[in-house]
Amino acid sequence: MYAADVVTAAAEGGAIGDGRTGANLALGVGLVGVAIGWLALARAADRISSGNARTGAMSAIAAGLAGTVLAVLHLATSSGGPGTGNGLVGAVAAVPLGLIAVVLGRRALTRCRTEPSGEPTKRLTG
């Protein structure tokens, strides 16, 4: 099975469940991406001392992109309109969640830039 077939099957809900499964999957991935992005942004601002902000930021970007792609694929393959039980409204809601995760991850990534010496840059406040 090719990767494109796997993504299409996930967007359509796979072999189990109803039409809402793909939308719920996209919503879950997007929501996880937002949570990871939020934590990465907090790590980059030195509010949380555990973990690596760059790794969290890249993970948030990846999860946000995956959630957005799954939602768009579900929107493209779903039949019927809103209220038919095909998960169209959930997929529409998952697109902004994925984009928010990408923005949070990108913002955290820009906050944790490093200088050539490997030390984090000192940001001036105020």
Side-chain angles (χ1 to χ4, degrees):
M1 187 175 248
Y2 295 106
D5 296 334
V6 171
V7 171
T8 303
E12 291 175 351
I16 61 169
D18 54 3
R20 285 173 253 165
T21 308
N24 288 337
L25 179 65
L27 275 169
V29 170
L31 192 59
V32 166
V34 168
I36 293 171
W38 192 295
L39 289 172
L41 195 58
R43 284 186 198 122
D46 289 333
R47 290 184 295 218
I48 298 176
S49 62
S50 65
N52 187 353
R54 289 187 66 82
T55 304
M58 294 300 288
S59 300
I61 290 171
L65 284 175
T68 303
V69 166
L70 285 173
V72 169
L73 280 174
H74 186 77
L75 284 171
T77 59
S78 66
S79 60
T84 59
N86 291 330
L88 193 66
V89 175
V92 168
V95 171
L97 270 180
L99 295 177
I100 289 170
V102 170
V103 167
L104 285 174
R106 179 67 183 138
R107 194 157 179 213
L109 202 58
T110 57
R111 284 194 180 187
C112 60
R113 288 187 192 156
T114 57
E115 291 181 359
S117 64
E119 293 295 320
T121 58
K122 299 294 182 188
R123 294 182 61 102
L124 297 176
T125 57

